[in-house]
Amino acid sequence: MKNRILFLSIAAFALLLGCEEEPPFINYDPPKTTLDTTWVKPTPSAPQVKQVLLEDVTGVQCVNCPDAAAIAKALQTANPGRVNVIGIHPLNLLPTFTNPINKEGHQSRQDFRTQAGADFCTNILGVPNSLPKGAIDRVKFPDKTDLLMDRTDWTAKTNAQLNEPTPVNITLTHIKEVEGYPIPENELLLEVTVEYTQVPTDTNKNYLTLVLIEDSIVDVQEYIDYSGPIPAPAFNDNYMHMHIMRACLTNATGDLLNKADAPIVAGRVYKKRYKYTFTNPVWVKKQLHVIGYVHRNDTRKDVYQSNHVELDY
Amino acid sequence: MVFCNLYYRMNKYVLLTISLAISCALFAQTSEKKEDKGEFSGNFQTNAQFYMRDDRIGANTTQYLRELSSAEAWLFMNYKIKGFNFSVRYDLFNNSPLFNPQQAYSKSGIGFWQVSKDVDKFNFTLGYFYDQFGTGALFRAYEDRNIGIDFAIQGARVIYNFSENTRIKAFTGQQKFRFDIREPIIKGANIEHRMVFSDKLNAELGASVVNRTLDQNTMSSIASTINSYPLEQRFDPKYNVFGYNVYNTLNYKNFTWFVEYNLKTPEAILDYSNTLINKPGNIFYTSLSYSTTGFGVNVQFKRLESFLLRVNPLEIAPLPNNGPINYLPALTRQNTYRLLARYNAVVQELGENAAQLEFTLKPTKSLQINLNGSIVNTLAGLTFADGYVWNNQTKLFREVYTDVAYKFNKKFKAMVGVQSIGYNQQLFEGKASAPYVEALTLFGEMTYKLNTKRSLRFEWQYMNTEQDLGSFVNALVEYNVAPHWSFSAGDLVNFRSGFLNKPLPGEKFEIIHYYNFFTSYTYKTTRLTAAFLKQPQGVNCTGGVCRVEPAFSGGRLTITTNF
């Protein structure tokens, strides 16, 4: 008995040491900014109207996801220009929902999954047990246990966030030429201006995240067919996928804005330019837009403000 | 009403604990045998402080400006029956500066609960517990309420007394943070074994492993911070850090030799510029002592490198809010006299070498001499390549101390001594422009017994320094009437300015008095104290753990009792 306990104790010690762990996302890529500057305006601008960010974690094999997409669409229609939606198809997470379809004669033409989407989930939003789930401004609401919520919560939480003031303005501009030289067709040059109209109530570090989105992609999607006597899963080969996240132009966890030598004060402006090279010929550039948002990334992840720009191709 | 408030604050676990305790108590009372009614015990402590603003000494934190008073209280209750042990403690903080001297913290509720049970050679504990492995350099969960420390673990612990000489224990849990717990998980195991070779030779061996696993929120913050660094400074942080130690105490005749080595795997730690770096850590510690009639000697050495072992590597708040998992006291003398204890070495978790030598001589029954020397420098201050280096870049702390005590007769005894201190104020207190403090202090004490119940004690210290706040003199007279009363009055006088409180050109330095009036009344197990005092800012240490505290000016009342 004694020997057995001693052996088990040693085995437990050994188990503690045995496993390799998966590190969090650390970006070893060189900076993508071509311009990075900051200054303080003597008189801060007026605050922008609040825009809300809805991150919809979704999948092509998720039968309830079209319903969630419809809720997102309704929110955008009800609040024109004030709700920015990102459709996240995380790579290698929840594969039964997110893997491309190849069954019963239906086959996905594109793979919407991205590593950046997976990084969003593992590092910020959390990995859900089921889909669809969504985060509203990355706020952890007091009555919820996670950032990611069921779609039935989206409308109420979005409306609540629309009434919140924002301490920061964000403006995105698609730069077509620099000093008379046009930007090549396979490149995107985006200028971001972030201006604090007041200091946020917390004094933590603030981050900027930029996401490339493509709309109006026709591809197969599973859904629930309610037309028969019994609701049943079905395939829509011509489903119109909206706000698909294609790439993240910044770190998945955001690029730090307020470095030590440029603290946040009212009137502080951060101006950055990001260059992105298109390599995937399947993407339709005319259907692309960029969403940018300023957020925390400490014990809370709250998004202060978001905005978007249609790309001029 | 008070009981109702208290009742509703308790969480379900506490209710379960108390229900079980009451059930057991009732069972014990109604049992036909009525053999074991259990044992109920506890203690109560309360501190109340009243603040009187004094800008001259820097007594102007929030309590002086707004709240004007603060209070803390702890009621601990324990019930033992049939191998069960039920404990619960109610904590109260009203505008308390304990956790952060710059803030007023108010909250009350159940601060500690525990259920433990002995089953044969096992002991099982659930709830909060305090414990430590070896010296605590790798793991220590402890409480020091007077400086706001309560690093209890909330979790489960199993102790197995394998044999009379061998004990194994293991635990898993989360560290307490005020009335909450911190997210990361801490687990560990320890084995200790005693070997007796002969009457004169025995050894006590021990080994431990501790693992801390970060939660996703904390790791996200760490990853974000690392992602904001230049590319060449980025690294993959670890969720898990492992720490190991082995230690042994060897007793041979009058000699005792202790040696301990601690090692931790690489993890993200903050350097002096609060930048995350990926480094492993280690501590080597050894002590050798010899004692015989009239003579004792103890020599100790410690080398510490990058051994920050915290619940969350991003915690930079000073004690008690930085959440250490382990316990790293300074390897220097713990002084009690007011001016001798003014400068204390604060352990540098990023790296230091420390050594201490202590002699105690008692050539006759009436005469005792103590000698102590300690020295602390940076890691660069002791290397194989350069040997020992003591200069402005490496020196951290130095103390040379001696006292001589002589008992003249049954009524009168006296003691005199001298202490020389070197203190790196810039590093220990974070004062950027402060020069290295060199202080010389003479001190003494006389005790005269007036009769069998009444005695008079007088202590004095004279400290000379040109740095920090300058030179001080302290004198105190104490009158004791056994067994109930004690009165004292003293004055600590800052009679000459130092580097940090130099008067402006054309102005004259004004002498500052830090008065101190104190009385205590003891009745059986209850002690009441009342004091009016002023005390200068500085490092306050208890049990070898130190923190920087602002000045104090005002009144203090305390009550402690055991039942």
Side-chain angles (χ1 to χ4, degrees), chain A residues 35-299:
Chain A
L35 173 79
D36 191 349
T37 185
T38 179
W39 68 91
V40 178
K41 286 170 69 173
T43 309
S45 306
Q48 286 177 339
V49 173
K50 170 73 176 166
Q51 297 189 34
V52 174
L53 180 73
L54 166 52
E55 289 167 285
D56 173 12
V57 184
T58 185
V60 292
Q61 295 191 55
C62 158
V63 292
N64 290 314
C65 286
D67 187 35
I71 292 170
K73 177 74 179 168
L75 282 166
Q76 287 185 308
T77 306
N79 305 283
R82 294 190 62 196
V83 178
N84 299 301
V85 182
I86 302 174
I88 298 170
H89 295 248
L91 182 68
N92 296 330
L93 294 178
L94 302 147
T96 53
F97 295 112
T98 59
N99 278 359
I101 295 170
N102 186 10
K103 55 187 177 184
E104 299 176 33
H106 303 274
Q107 189 164 14
S108 294
R109 281 140 0 230
Q110 294 190 36
D111 184 354
F112 299 140
R113 298 172 305 161
T114 56
Q115 181 57 49
D119 291 336
F120 276 28
C121 290
T122 53
N123 293 302
I124 297 167
L125 303 174
V127 179
N129 293 321
S130 61
L131 295 182
K133 295 280 184 183
I136 310 296
D137 269 349
R138 296 182 174 178
V139 173
K140 163 79 171 50
F141 293 95
D143 58 333
K144 295 293 160 191
T145 54
D146 299 302
L147 293 187
L148 288 172
M149 298 172 287
D150 288 327
R151 62 191 186 281
T152 47
D153 293 313
W154 294 3
T155 303
K157 302 304 184 196
T158 301
N159 288 335
Q161 282 303 107
L162 283 167
N163 291 323
E164 290 289 320
T166 174
V168 58
N169 295 345
I170 176 169
T171 310
L172 310 174
T173 310
H174 180 193
I175 305 289
K176 296 286 288 180
E177 61 173 45
V178 176
E179 295 172 355
Y181 293 95
I183 304 298
E185 276 294 303
N186 67 334
E187 281 185 6
L188 163 66
L189 187 63
L190 191 85
E191 186 170 277
V192 188
T193 307
V194 172
E195 181 190 344
Y196 283 83
T197 57
Q198 56 180 300
V199 180
T201 49
D202 65 89
T203 53
N204 287 294
K205 291 172 180 173
N206 282 195
Y207 294 83
L208 169 72
T209 297
L210 298 170
V211 178
L212 187 65
I213 304 288
E214 185 174 350
D215 280 326
S216 308
I217 306 168
V218 176
D219 206 333
V220 62
Q221 169 74 45
E222 277 197 61
Y223 70 106
I224 294 183
D225 184 2
Y226 292 97
S227 60
I230 301 169
F235 297 89
N236 182 349
D237 289 315
N238 295 309
Y239 181 80
M240 179 82 81
H241 292 267
M242 300 298 285
H243 38 77
I244 298 289
M245 173 179 171
R246 288 299 200 183
C248 187
L249 307 186
T250 56
N251 289 326
T253 51
D255 286 357
L256 181 66
L257 282 170
N258 50 327
K259 292 174 185 165
D261 57 349
I264 295 171
V265 293
R268 167 72 71 185
V269 178
Y270 300 96
K271 181 171 273 192
K272 294 167 182 278
R273 280 186 181 177
Y274 285 84
K275 190 175 88 172
Y276 183 79
T277 305
F278 296 109
T279 53
N280 193 330
V282 176
W283 299 357
V284 180
K285 279 188 263 182
K286 288 192 174 184
Q287 296 170 181
L288 292 172
H289 67 274
V290 173
I291 294 175
Y293 45 101
V294 175
H295 57 96
R296 290 175 61 176
N297 193 8
D298 41 79
T299 52

Side-chain angles (χ1 to χ4, degrees), chain B residues 149-176:
Chain B
I149 285 177
D150 188 357
F151 296 141
I153 296 288
Q154 190 194 67
R157 181 186 62 187
V158 181
I159 300 174
Y160 180 61
N161 293 300
F162 196 75
S163 68
E164 198 174 280
N165 290 323
T166 309
R167 186 181 64 181
I168 300 172
K169 56 185 169 185
F171 75 92
T172 182
Q174 291 166 286
Q175 192 182 67
K176 181 175 186 252

Side-chain angles (χ1 to χ4, degrees), chain B residues 301-319:
Chain B
F301 173 77
K302 181 173 71 180
R303 185 181 188 280
L304 185 157
E305 184 175 2
S306 305
F307 213 85
L308 292 90
L309 193 49
R310 294 181 181 168
V311 177
N312 176 351
L314 288 176
E315 289 291 352
I316 56 169
L319 267 173

Side-chain angles (χ1 to χ4, degrees), chain A residues 13 16 21 27 122-123 297, chain B residues 216 220 224 227 234 239 242:
Chain A
F13 271 49
L16 278 173
E21 62 179 54
N27 185 10
T122 53
N123 293 302
N297 193 8
Chain B
Q216 192 57 50
S220 294
S224 300
N227 277 323
R234 294 181 194 179
Y239 285 89
F242 294 92

Side-chain angles (χ1 to χ4, degrees), chain B residues 316-329:
Chain B
I316 56 169
L319 267 173
N321 299 316
N322 56 359
I325 295 168
N326 57 347
Y327 169 71
L328 298 172

